[in-house]
Amino acid sequence: MPLAVGSWAREVLLCVGLLAWLFVLAFGGEHDGVNIWPMPKSASHGSQTLFLSKDFVLSTQGSKYGDGSELLKEAFDRMIDVVEVNHIVDGRTPTSSVLAGLNVVILSPQDQLNFGIDESYKLDVPAAGKHVYARIEAQTVYGALHALQTFSQLCHFNIYKRIVELQLAPWYILDQPRFPYRGLLIDTSRHYLPLPIIKGVIDSMAYSKLNVLHWHIVDKQSFPLEIPSYPRLWAGAYSYSERYTKADALEIVQYAERRGVNVLAEIDVPGHALSWGVGYPDLWPSAECQEPLDVSKEFTFKVIEGILSDFTKVFKFRFVHLGGDEVNTSCWTNTPHIIEWLNKHGMNESQGYKYFVLRAQKIALSHGYEVINWEETFNNFGSQLSPKTVVHNWLGGGVAQKVVAAGLRCIVSNQDKWYLDHLDVPWQKFYMNEPLTNISTPEQQKLVIGGEVCMWGESIDASDIEQTIWPRAAAAAERLWTPLDKLAKDPRQATGRLARFRCLLNQRGVAAAPVAGPGRTAPLDPGSCYKQ
């Protein structure tokens, strides 16, 4: 049935309104057409459109990096896949304004992923020409990986021409991260996460330039990881199948490294460790009182020694996380043999807690790790921690200021702003959470090595983890990557770009929730992805 004139007019107005909205999303806003997430350090562009050749190639002419492990080639191939967004590229390539390939020049021949590695890059896309190449220059291959992620956001599949285009050429982008540590925590103790889910999280981290996967592997509820030195530990897993072998863990680490993501392993001691005693009951203070781990037994520290020794064969990141939070020592004071041990050594339960944390730190340091501990360890006995300690803030604001004043390093994850399981916290609060609040001296600012959003697992599993993480984690990712003077002063100025990035994640197979509303929100009505 034909539309009436009035209905037809309304439909036209709706279409015009939608087009205007899409135009604002694509080209409007604070940054004059720079529709990239996270926002680069500096970017300039023109107004021309280029088309990617169907034979778009990678060139490494002039590079000192040989790519013997094909890390760069794999990243280039992934980039091509995501810009095509699973469409069939079967259009006719124009005879002019064609981008033939991408020349990547990497100045360092090394490809070992280390904390603090140079992640900067330059991206230069020419305006026009016949058989021209875009150019990436980076100190390391990991800077080049970030450049590929940025390049992918400049490209769009032209649904009419059936080819990939790059708008607003020429582009010149200089970029580097604001903080070296940009993390996301996942929790595989409260709910088991299958390997493909973890790999998907790593892929989505790379899209937003997060670079540390904090793997909270075990907790009181379950111990899913194989420890060859103490093989009965994973008897504390939920079930036979909800476990990770040592080879699984190594696969996750290597998968992440090839995407520029370090894996930080955590064992949370002495509290949050009830599951350890399922396989080794001697680790419990008693059968009736099972947590924290028994401070009085050498066996406890032999197990920690064995775990960390096994970790060195898998987890190559400079740091290991030893937890140390929420330690309730009442089991110690209600267990006769621990009371006797404390008295013999002239300790009360608080001093026993300190003894445990410091001894665990010494074990980690002996294996070449630097230690991250939750903030309670600093709040209780900060000046006595190893000077190599990184204090992980989570309880609230103001902690980082105290930590750096004491000369220690800090990671910010204050729960009121950067805990993803707090579903009532909207993305705007994630975006506006500033790690350097009230820290003004350059020396102390350098001690804040970065921040981390935390996806605790009590209320998530494989079915809903992605839409609980994204897009709020992306808001924090821009805070951690982008220079302070380039960040939006009002999150409303970033809404259009974040909405576009959320839709881009959806197109790439990431189940990111709508921007409107708090965490893990479903779409309210039919409509364009860009308006949700």
Side-chain angles (χ1 to χ4, degrees):
M1 179 178 178
L3 289 171
V5 172
S7 298
W8 177 84
R10 282 193 296 273
E11 292 293 325
V12 169
L13 288 173
L14 285 171
C15 288
V16 170
L18 177 58
L19 288 172
W21 170 261
L22 292 175
F23 182 86
V24 169
L25 287 176
F27 303 111
E30 181 187 26
H31 291 286
D32 188 27
V34 181
N35 205 353
I36 301 167
W37 198 282
M39 181 61 63
K41 182 178 181 181
S42 70
S44 62
H45 65 86
S47 58
Q48 299 187 41
T49 297
L50 302 177
F51 299 94
L52 270 63
S53 168
K54 283 190 286 186
D55 299 318
F56 192 76
V57 296
L58 169 67
S59 164
T60 56
Q61 184 177 357
S63 180
K64 296 180 181 177
Y65 174 70
D67 201 30
S69 63
E70 297 194 334
L71 192 158
L72 178 62
K73 180 182 182 301
E74 287 180 8
F76 177 82
D77 291 342
R78 290 194 302 271
M79 185 271 292
I80 295 298
D81 285 342
V82 298
V83 300
E84 292 178 355
V85 288
N86 288 311
H87 289 294
I88 303 300
V89 180
D90 59 358
R92 179 176 297 177
T93 304
T95 56
S96 61
S97 300
V98 175
L99 204 55
L102 187 58
N103 184 40
V104 180
V105 177
I106 299 170
L107 302 178
S108 170
Q110 303 300 318
D111 64 359
Q112 185 174 356
L113 182 61
N114 296 310
F115 174 72
I117 196 168
D118 193 319
E119 299 175 88
S120 65
Y121 67 88
K122 300 175 185 177
L123 173 59
D124 190 359
V125 181
K130 197 173 182 179
H131 204 75
V132 296
Y133 278 70
R135 176 184 169 89
I136 288 170
E137 182 179 310
Q139 289 294 322
T140 71
V141 66
Y142 299 103
L145 297 190
H146 292 314
L148 290 173
Q149 295 294 348
T150 298
F151 183 83
S152 76
Q153 292 191 41
L154 304 181
C155 299
H156 310 271
F157 182 77
N158 186 314
I159 201 74
Y160 299 106
K161 296 180 180 293
R162 309 296 200 272
I163 56 176
V164 176
E165 66 182 19
L166 189 151
Q167 299 172 344
L168 304 181
W171 282 94
Y172 185 67
I173 295 173
L174 290 172
D175 205 7
Q176 66 184 61
R178 182 181 176 206
F179 292 99
Y181 185 110
R182 306 178 305 281
L184 167 65
L185 177 148
I186 61 170
D187 172 8
T188 57
S189 174
R190 276 51 181 260
H191 285 96
Y192 176 82
L193 297 174
L195 293 177
I197 296 296
I198 298 176
K199 289 181 176 181
V201 169
I202 293 167
D203 286 335
S204 57
M205 289 176 66
Y207 297 150
S208 58
K209 300 184 174 69
L210 293 174
N211 71 342
V212 179
L213 178 71
H214 176 178
W215 189 359
H216 186 85
I217 305 170
V218 304
D219 210 290
K220 66 185 298 180
Q221 290 86 356
S222 73
F223 197 117
L225 180 64
E226 178 186 26
I227 302 296
S229 295
Y230 290 91
R232 295 205 305 273
L233 280 170
W234 73 352
Y238 285 125
S239 70
Y240 175 81
S241 61
E242 292 171 296
R243 296 178 175 180
Y244 307 101
T245 66
K246 177 185 174 183
D248 291 337
L250 186 59
E251 167 70 11
I252 289 298
V253 169
Q254 292 175 343
Y255 187 91
E257 285 177 345
R258 297 186 75 80
R259 287 151 181 80
V261 175
N262 286 291
V263 178
L264 168 68
E266 179 182 358
I267 54 169
D268 196 346
V269 295
H272 291 277
L274 183 148
S275 62
W276 297 37
V278 176
Y280 295 97
D282 280 352
L283 293 169
W284 289 333
S286 69
E288 296 75 31
C289 210
Q290 300 168 331
E291 201 177 55
L293 296 172
D294 192 331
V295 66
S296 71
K297 291 178 181 173
E298 282 300 304
F299 179 64
T300 300
F301 298 99
K302 287 182 179 179
V303 172
I304 293 173
E305 168 78 38
I307 292 172
L308 294 178
S309 176
D310 287 347
F311 272 15
T312 62
K313 301 174 180 66
V314 176
F315 300 104
K316 304 300 183 182
F317 193 35
R318 178 188 298 182
F319 302 100
V320 68
H321 206 304
L322 296 180
D325 62 312
E326 297 182 322
V327 178
N328 181 347
T329 57
S330 60
C331 272
W332 291 351
T333 55
N334 290 324
T335 304
H337 75 264
I338 296 182
I339 296 173
E340 180 182 351
W341 183 88
L342 289 171
N343 290 336
K344 179 181 177 181
H345 290 84
M347 298 182 192
N348 58 29
E349 65 271 24
S350 177
Q351 291 167 323
Y353 168 36
K354 179 179 71 175
Y355 168 83
F356 197 114
V357 168
L358 296 183
R359 186 163 177 187
Q361 284 197 336
K362 287 179 181 178
I363 295 171
L365 292 167
S366 74
H367 287 286
Y369 285 118
E370 296 176 38
V371 178
I372 302 175
N373 279 113
W374 294 109
E375 72 174 71
E376 287 95 325
T377 59
F378 173 79
N379 296 339
N380 283 285
F381 35 87
S383 63
Q384 297 170 74
L385 293 170
S386 163
K388 292 187 176 182
T389 303
V390 179
V391 178
H392 197 163
N393 153 237
W394 74 278
L395 287 172
V399 175
Q401 186 179 1
K402 296 175 184 176
V403 171
V404 300
L408 295 176
R409 292 168 294 176
C410 188
I411 296 167
V412 173
S413 292
N414 46 315
Q415 62 174 334
D416 56 328
K417 302 290 175 60
W418 276 359
Y419 267 31
L420 292 156
D421 56 309
H422 291 199
L423 299 181
D424 58 335
V425 180
W427 73 265
Q428 291 90 341
K429 288 189 176 181
F430 277 75
Y431 191 88
M432 297 304 292
N433 189 36
E434 173 51 48
L436 298 184
T437 298
N438 296 324
I439 302 173
S440 57
T441 67
E443 295 78 13
Q444 291 186 355
Q445 288 179 345
K446 289 177 182 177
L447 292 174
V448 179
I449 64 173
E452 178 177 292
V453 289
C454 298
M455 185 64 270
W456 294 106
E458 286 87 348
S459 63
I460 65 97
D461 63 10
S463 70
D464 59 0
I465 185 171
E466 287 188 341
Q467 59 263 49
T468 313
I469 292 175
W470 307 106
R472 292 182 300 161
E478 178 155 293
R479 175 66 52 171
L480 293 168
W481 177 276
T482 301
L484 187 62
D485 63 345
K486 292 288 185 178
L487 290 166
K489 304 302 183 288
D490 185 326
R492 287 176 294 183
Q493 297 169 325
T495 301
R497 274 191 308 114
L498 184 59
R500 178 189 177 277
F501 184 69
R502 177 257 170 171
C503 295
L504 189 67
L505 291 175
N506 284 176
Q507 292 166 13
R508 295 178 179 185
V510 180
V515 169
R520 211 161 66 200
T521 300
L524 296 177
D525 297 296
S528 167
C529 172
Y530 299 98
K531 297 187 70 174
Q532 294 169 1

